[in-house]
Amino acid sequence: ARIMARRHNISYSQLPRFIAECMAEWREIINPGLNCVRDCFKEITECLLDEGCRFRIKRTHGPNDYICC
């Protein structure tokens, strides 16, 4: 996160606001459907990968082995 903040010339504490501003278009969708949610998630993960972030996504199950997506 510190490297990402440095790369964008902002302080580490400003990073959450910077990310929120980058994702502002998704805030305007009212009652998004599953496809919108998937597209938003895909954009988030692609942006993180472009920034060189490493992460692991682990699917978890809810009650009675419910899978949301």
Side-chain angles (χ1 to χ4, degrees), residues 1-23 47-48 51 53:
R2 291 193 189 282
I3 294 170
M4 184 176 168
R6 229 178 292 137
R7 185 178 302 125
H8 291 283
N9 230 10
I10 58 173
S11 70
Y12 180 75
S13 63
Q14 292 174 322
L15 194 56
R17 176 175 285 180
F18 174 77
I19 293 170
E21 289 171 356
C22 290
M23 302 303 298
C47 288
L48 291 173
E51 290 292 335
C53 297

Side-chain angles (χ1 to χ4, degrees), residues 23-61:
M23 302 303 298
E25 68 184 78
W26 293 101
R27 255 191 309 225
E28 297 174 13
I29 300 173
I30 299 171
N31 297 326
L34 184 58
N35 288 335
C36 284
V37 174
R38 285 183 178 162
D39 291 344
C40 178
F41 186 74
K42 182 179 178 183
E43 183 174 336
I44 291 169
T45 55
E46 287 175 352
C47 288
L48 291 173
L49 287 171
D50 290 345
E51 290 292 335
C53 297
R54 289 174 273 160
F55 55 89
R56 182 182 328 180
I57 298 173
K58 182 179 177 184
R59 176 174 275 180
T60 59
H61 301 276

